[in-house]
Amino acid sequence: MKFCAGATVTPEARPIEPQLIKFEKKIEAGAEFFQTQAVYDLDNFRRFMEFARRFPVKILAGIVLLASAKMAKYMTENVPGIFVPQNLIDELASAPKVGCKERHRDCRKDDPGAETGRRL
């Protein structure tokens, strides 16, 4: 059995530069893969990946499906390292409400939350 050394990285940190320095130090210390915090801003993530691709490590992008605008706002304001762009919060706020029974079904084509998740 082979184990791989992993570490965490926060590509949505502001400013990002301290994270990039820590990222390199973790690689020097032996990290072979990284798990990110939940990623919602794809432009930030692309910029991070442009930097990360220079190194021989794997990146596992964190995904947390957002059930509501309230949840997205809470994550942005209270969970360190997570940034949900305002346009995504607004999109969730304007989505039609789905009842409890509907929410627990398989993702449907007309479910706006599922559509947002598929897009990300």
Side-chain angles (χ1 to χ4, degrees):
M1 182 180 306
K2 181 184 178 207
F3 291 94
C4 297
T8 61
V9 64
T10 306
E12 304 217 334
R14 292 181 182 180
I16 187 66
E17 291 75 18
Q19 278 295 308
L20 301 180
I21 293 167
K22 291 178 190 176
F23 178 78
E24 286 192 68
K25 287 183 178 182
K26 291 174 182 181
I27 292 169
E28 290 169 8
E32 299 171 82
F33 75 94
F34 288 81
Q35 170 71 53
T36 75
Q37 275 283 28
V39 174
Y40 298 105
D41 186 325
L42 296 182
D43 291 332
N44 279 350
F45 188 63
R46 280 188 196 98
R47 284 190 291 277
F48 168 74
M49 286 304 297
E50 286 173 13
F51 175 82
R53 282 189 183 101
R54 301 183 326 187
F55 302 92
V57 296
K58 302 292 182 193
I59 307 293
L60 301 170
I63 299 172
V64 175
L65 295 180
L66 299 170
S68 67
K70 184 177 178 181
M71 177 183 175
K73 188 171 167 107
Y74 178 87
M75 299 273 285
T76 290
E77 293 174 354
N78 297 291
V79 181
I82 293 185
F83 171 72
V84 181
Q86 187 60 47
N87 65 323
L88 182 53
I89 295 171
D90 294 343
E91 180 181 337
L92 288 165
S94 67
K97 302 296 182 239
V98 177
C100 187
K101 282 186 175 181
E102 300 289 325
R103 186 176 296 129
H104 295 292
R105 288 186 185 167
D106 290 335
C107 292
R108 300 173 323 159
K109 289 182 182 177
D110 61 336
D111 182 342
E115 175 54 35
T116 301
R118 283 190 288 272
R119 198 173 64 248
L120 289 173

